[in-house]
mmCIF file of all heavy atoms in Angstrom:
data_model
loop_
_atom_site.group_PDB
_atom_site.id
_atom_site.type_symbol
_atom_site.label_atom_id
_atom_site.label_comp_id
_atom_site.label_asym_id
_atom_site.label_seq_id
_atom_site.Cartn_x
_atom_site.Cartn_y
_atom_site.Cartn_z
ATOM 1 N N GLY A 1 3.359 2.900 -16.097
ATOM 2 C CA GLY A 1 2.060 3.562 -16.213
ATOM 3 C C GLY A 1 0.911 2.881 -15.532
ATOM 4 O O GLY A 1 -0.188 3.380 -15.595
ATOM 5 N N PHE A 2 1.199 1.727 -14.839
ATOM 6 C CA PHE A 2 0.078 1.088 -14.203
ATOM 7 C C PHE A 2 -0.276 1.769 -12.882
ATOM 8 O O PHE A 2 0.601 2.309 -12.138
ATOM 9 C CB PHE A 2 0.483 -0.366 -13.866
ATOM 10 C CG PHE A 2 0.464 -1.265 -15.106
ATOM 11 C CD1 PHE A 2 1.645 -1.511 -15.801
ATOM 12 C CD2 PHE A 2 -0.675 -1.762 -15.636
ATOM 13 C CE1 PHE A 2 1.690 -2.279 -16.924
ATOM 14 C CE2 PHE A 2 -0.645 -2.551 -16.818
ATOM 15 C CZ PHE A 2 0.494 -2.795 -17.412
ATOM 16 N N ARG A 3 -1.551 1.792 -12.597
ATOM 17 C CA ARG A 3 -2.066 2.336 -11.299
ATOM 18 C C ARG A 3 -2.046 1.150 -10.286
ATOM 19 O O ARG A 3 -2.426 0.072 -10.660
ATOM 20 C CB ARG A 3 -3.412 2.875 -11.411
ATOM 21 C CG ARG A 3 -3.546 3.942 -12.478
ATOM 22 C CD ARG A 3 -5.022 4.434 -12.558
ATOM 23 N NE ARG A 3 -5.409 4.760 -13.896
ATOM 24 C CZ ARG A 3 -6.638 5.145 -14.266
ATOM 25 N NH1 ARG A 3 -7.509 5.288 -13.377
ATOM 26 N NH2 ARG A 3 -6.931 5.424 -15.498
ATOM 27 N N LEU A 4 -1.518 1.396 -9.142
ATOM 28 C CA LEU A 4 -1.324 0.353 -8.123
ATOM 29 C C LEU A 4 -2.132 0.648 -6.811
ATOM 30 O O LEU A 4 -2.266 1.795 -6.468
ATOM 31 C CB LEU A 4 0.143 0.219 -7.756
ATOM 32 C CG LEU A 4 1.131 0.112 -8.905
ATOM 33 C CD1 LEU A 4 2.600 -0.010 -8.333
ATOM 34 C CD2 LEU A 4 0.851 -1.147 -9.801
ATOM 35 N N ALA A 5 -2.636 -0.413 -6.223
ATOM 36 C CA ALA A 5 -3.297 -0.251 -4.942
ATOM 37 C C ALA A 5 -3.152 -1.527 -4.117
ATOM 38 O O ALA A 5 -2.918 -2.591 -4.627
ATOM 39 C CB ALA A 5 -4.809 0.013 -5.218
ATOM 40 N N PHE A 6 -3.311 -1.408 -2.859
ATOM 41 C CA PHE A 6 -3.531 -2.489 -1.907
ATOM 42 C C PHE A 6 -5.018 -2.744 -1.928
ATOM 43 O O PHE A 6 -5.871 -1.836 -1.886
ATOM 44 C CB PHE A 6 -3.071 -2.237 -0.549
ATOM 45 C CG PHE A 6 -1.619 -2.500 -0.303
ATOM 46 C CD1 PHE A 6 -0.687 -1.458 -0.063
ATOM 47 C CD2 PHE A 6 -1.139 -3.790 -0.334
ATOM 48 C CE1 PHE A 6 0.629 -1.742 0.163
ATOM 49 C CE2 PHE A 6 0.251 -4.060 -0.072
ATOM 50 C CZ PHE A 6 1.073 -2.969 0.111
ATOM 51 N N LEU A 7 -5.424 -4.012 -1.836
ATOM 52 C CA LEU A 7 -6.810 -4.449 -1.550
ATOM 53 C C LEU A 7 -6.768 -5.545 -0.644
ATOM 54 O O LEU A 7 -6.583 -6.746 -1.068
ATOM 55 C CB LEU A 7 -7.597 -4.775 -2.872
ATOM 56 C CG LEU A 7 -8.998 -5.223 -2.716
ATOM 57 C CD1 LEU A 7 -9.804 -4.312 -1.799
ATOM 58 C CD2 LEU A 7 -9.680 -5.389 -4.001
ATOM 59 N N SER A 8 -6.815 -5.296 0.649
ATOM 60 C CA SER A 8 -6.413 -6.240 1.661
ATOM 61 C C SER A 8 -7.474 -6.270 2.813
ATOM 62 O O SER A 8 -8.116 -5.275 3.060
ATOM 63 C CB SER A 8 -5.066 -5.871 2.264
ATOM 64 O OG SER A 8 -4.749 -6.607 3.405
ATOM 65 N N ASN A 9 -7.473 -7.418 3.506
ATOM 66 C CA ASN A 9 -8.300 -7.552 4.676
ATOM 67 C C ASN A 9 -7.689 -6.887 5.936
ATOM 68 O O ASN A 9 -8.269 -6.731 6.938
ATOM 69 C CB ASN A 9 -8.505 -9.043 4.997
ATOM 70 C CG ASN A 9 -9.457 -9.738 4.097
ATOM 71 O OD1 ASN A 9 -10.316 -9.058 3.454
ATOM 72 N ND2 ASN A 9 -9.435 -11.058 3.996
ATOM 73 N N MET A 10 -6.352 -6.585 5.851
ATOM 74 C CA MET A 10 -5.692 -5.935 6.938
ATOM 75 C C MET A 10 -6.287 -4.495 7.161
ATOM 76 O O MET A 10 -6.820 -3.921 6.199
ATOM 77 C CB MET A 10 -4.150 -5.807 6.709
ATOM 78 C CG MET A 10 -3.495 -7.137 6.588
ATOM 79 S SD MET A 10 -1.714 -6.979 6.193
ATOM 80 C CE MET A 10 -1.037 -6.421 7.736
ATOM 81 N N THR A 11 -6.140 -3.987 8.293
ATOM 82 C CA THR A 11 -6.617 -2.601 8.519
ATOM 83 C C THR A 11 -5.763 -1.608 7.830
ATOM 84 O O THR A 11 -4.615 -1.863 7.500
ATOM 85 C CB THR A 11 -6.635 -2.272 10.077
ATOM 86 O OG1 THR A 11 -5.274 -2.178 10.506
ATOM 87 C CG2 THR A 11 -7.392 -3.299 10.868
ATOM 88 N N ALA A 12 -6.374 -0.399 7.592
ATOM 89 C CA ALA A 12 -5.544 0.626 6.906
ATOM 90 C C ALA A 12 -4.338 0.999 7.748
ATOM 91 O O ALA A 12 -3.241 1.321 7.156
ATOM 92 C CB ALA A 12 -6.423 1.853 6.753
ATOM 93 N N ALA A 13 -4.417 0.999 9.086
ATOM 94 C CA ALA A 13 -3.185 1.282 9.867
ATOM 95 C C ALA A 13 -2.153 0.324 9.667
ATOM 96 O O ALA A 13 -0.930 0.674 9.558
ATOM 97 C CB ALA A 13 -3.643 1.372 11.381
ATOM 98 N N MET A 14 -2.491 -1.017 9.571
ATOM 99 C CA MET A 14 -1.437 -2.042 9.364
ATOM 100 C C MET A 14 -0.861 -1.794 7.983
ATOM 101 O O MET A 14 0.405 -2.005 7.798
ATOM 102 C CB MET A 14 -2.152 -3.373 9.433
ATOM 103 C CG MET A 14 -2.666 -3.742 10.763
ATOM 104 S SD MET A 14 -3.625 -5.255 10.867
ATOM 105 C CE MET A 14 -2.378 -6.481 10.821
ATOM 106 N N LEU A 15 -1.597 -1.575 6.955
ATOM 107 C CA LEU A 15 -1.124 -1.369 5.573
ATOM 108 C C LEU A 15 -0.176 -0.154 5.524
ATOM 109 O O LEU A 15 0.916 -0.236 4.897
ATOM 110 C CB LEU A 15 -2.237 -1.265 4.603
ATOM 111 C CG LEU A 15 -3.049 -2.497 4.521
ATOM 112 C CD1 LEU A 15 -4.414 -2.151 3.662
ATOM 113 C CD2 LEU A 15 -2.342 -3.589 3.738
ATOM 114 N N HIS A 16 -0.545 0.928 6.105
ATOM 115 C CA HIS A 16 0.284 2.151 6.093
ATOM 116 C C HIS A 16 1.541 1.897 6.867
ATOM 117 O O HIS A 16 2.621 2.425 6.474
ATOM 118 C CB HIS A 16 -0.492 3.326 6.642
ATOM 119 C CG HIS A 16 -1.473 3.914 5.665
ATOM 120 N ND1 HIS A 16 -1.104 4.519 4.477
ATOM 121 C CD2 HIS A 16 -2.833 3.903 5.660
ATOM 122 C CE1 HIS A 16 -2.181 4.901 3.839
ATOM 123 N NE2 HIS A 16 -3.221 4.581 4.489
ATOM 124 N N ALA A 17 1.493 1.167 8.011
ATOM 125 C CA ALA A 17 2.695 0.806 8.714
ATOM 126 C C ALA A 17 3.629 0.030 7.819
ATOM 127 O O ALA A 17 4.840 0.241 7.826
ATOM 128 C CB ALA A 17 2.364 0.038 9.952
ATOM 129 N N GLY A 18 3.084 -0.938 7.092
ATOM 130 C CA GLY A 18 3.939 -1.838 6.250
ATOM 131 C C GLY A 18 4.552 -0.992 5.122
ATOM 132 O O GLY A 18 5.737 -1.083 4.811
ATOM 133 N N ILE A 19 3.850 -0.044 4.558
ATOM 134 C CA ILE A 19 4.343 0.848 3.496
ATOM 135 C C ILE A 19 5.477 1.652 4.055
ATOM 136 O O ILE A 19 6.561 1.798 3.410
ATOM 137 C CB ILE A 19 3.244 1.763 3.007
ATOM 138 C CG1 ILE A 19 2.204 0.950 2.135
ATOM 139 C CG2 ILE A 19 3.861 2.867 2.107
ATOM 140 C CD1 ILE A 19 1.004 1.742 1.758
ATOM 141 N N ALA A 20 5.366 2.196 5.270
ATOM 142 C CA ALA A 20 6.477 2.973 5.853
ATOM 143 C C ALA A 20 7.650 2.097 6.197
ATOM 144 O O ALA A 20 8.837 2.466 5.954
ATOM 145 C CB ALA A 20 6.010 3.698 7.150
ATOM 146 N N ASN A 21 7.421 0.955 6.775
ATOM 147 C CA ASN A 21 8.542 -0.006 7.119
ATOM 148 C C ASN A 21 9.333 -0.353 5.915
ATOM 149 O O ASN A 21 10.546 -0.517 5.977
ATOM 150 C CB ASN A 21 7.975 -1.253 7.801
ATOM 151 C CG ASN A 21 7.345 -1.024 9.127
ATOM 152 O OD1 ASN A 21 7.625 -0.011 9.806
ATOM 153 N ND2 ASN A 21 6.483 -1.864 9.540
ATOM 154 N N ALA A 22 8.686 -0.625 4.805
ATOM 155 C CA ALA A 22 9.357 -1.168 3.577
ATOM 156 C C ALA A 22 9.718 -0.024 2.583
ATOM 157 O O ALA A 22 10.179 -0.312 1.499
ATOM 158 C CB ALA A 22 8.305 -2.146 2.856
ATOM 159 N N ALA A 23 9.484 1.243 2.980
ATOM 160 C CA ALA A 23 9.887 2.414 2.122
ATOM 161 C C ALA A 23 9.209 2.258 0.789
ATOM 162 O O ALA A 23 9.811 2.478 -0.255
ATOM 163 C CB ALA A 23 11.411 2.466 1.962
ATOM 164 N N LEU A 24 7.960 2.061 0.758
ATOM 165 C CA LEU A 24 7.112 1.980 -0.463
ATOM 166 C C LEU A 24 6.228 3.198 -0.686
ATOM 167 O O LEU A 24 5.313 3.133 -1.554
ATOM 168 C CB LEU A 24 6.221 0.713 -0.392
ATOM 169 C CG LEU A 24 6.997 -0.654 -0.262
ATOM 170 C CD1 LEU A 24 5.941 -1.775 -0.172
ATOM 171 C CD2 LEU A 24 7.910 -0.887 -1.381
ATOM 172 N N ASP A 25 6.592 4.260 0.006
ATOM 173 C CA ASP A 25 5.730 5.466 -0.119
ATOM 174 C C ASP A 25 5.748 5.964 -1.617
ATOM 175 O O ASP A 25 6.748 5.933 -2.284
ATOM 176 C CB ASP A 25 6.311 6.579 0.738
ATOM 177 C CG ASP A 25 6.375 6.183 2.186
ATOM 178 O OD1 ASP A 25 7.437 5.561 2.602
ATOM 179 O OD2 ASP A 25 5.390 6.457 2.941
ATOM 180 N N GLY A 26 4.586 6.449 -2.049
ATOM 181 C CA GLY A 26 4.431 7.004 -3.307
ATOM 182 C C GLY A 26 4.157 6.009 -4.484
ATOM 183 O O GLY A 26 3.965 6.483 -5.589
ATOM 184 N N LEU A 27 4.099 4.743 -4.095
ATOM 185 C CA LEU A 27 3.883 3.780 -5.221
ATOM 186 C C LEU A 27 2.376 3.418 -5.396
ATOM 187 O O LEU A 27 2.015 2.916 -6.476
ATOM 188 C CB LEU A 27 4.674 2.467 -4.878
ATOM 189 C CG LEU A 27 6.144 2.605 -5.031
ATOM 190 C CD1 LEU A 27 6.823 1.342 -4.530
ATOM 191 C CD2 LEU A 27 6.594 2.867 -6.476
ATOM 192 N N PHE A 28 1.586 3.693 -4.392
ATOM 193 C CA PHE A 28 0.162 3.205 -4.466
ATOM 194 C C PHE A 28 -0.783 4.371 -4.583
ATOM 195 O O PHE A 28 -0.695 5.394 -3.831
ATOM 196 C CB PHE A 28 -0.175 2.414 -3.164
ATOM 197 C CG PHE A 28 0.692 1.178 -3.071
ATOM 198 C CD1 PHE A 28 1.832 1.100 -2.293
ATOM 199 C CD2 PHE A 28 0.320 0.026 -3.720
ATOM 200 C CE1 PHE A 28 2.552 -0.067 -2.210
ATOM 201 C CE2 PHE A 28 0.987 -1.143 -3.650
ATOM 202 C CZ PHE A 28 2.153 -1.188 -2.902
ATOM 203 N N ASP A 29 -1.732 4.272 -5.521
ATOM 204 C CA ASP A 29 -2.781 5.294 -5.657
ATOM 205 C C ASP A 29 -3.769 5.174 -4.544
ATOM 206 O O ASP A 29 -4.332 6.163 -4.107
ATOM 207 C CB ASP A 29 -3.531 5.028 -7.001
ATOM 208 C CG ASP A 29 -2.575 5.188 -8.211
ATOM 209 O OD1 ASP A 29 -1.707 5.937 -8.184
ATOM 210 O OD2 ASP A 29 -2.871 4.400 -9.110
#
């Protein structure tokens, strides 16, 4: 039930690329 997010200095494009590479879609609010 926890809400999850990235809070990073990386750009949004870098973060979304990492999510796709690692198959983490749907885990982050």
Side-chain angles (χ1 to χ4, degrees):
F2 288 97
R3 305 180 216 178
L4 309 179
F6 276 111
L7 177 51
S8 171
N9 286 339
M10 295 176 77
T11 67
M14 297 171 76
L15 293 168
H16 283 292
I19 289 170
N21 294 337
L24 300 178
D25 303 87
L27 290 173
F28 297 96
D29 301 325

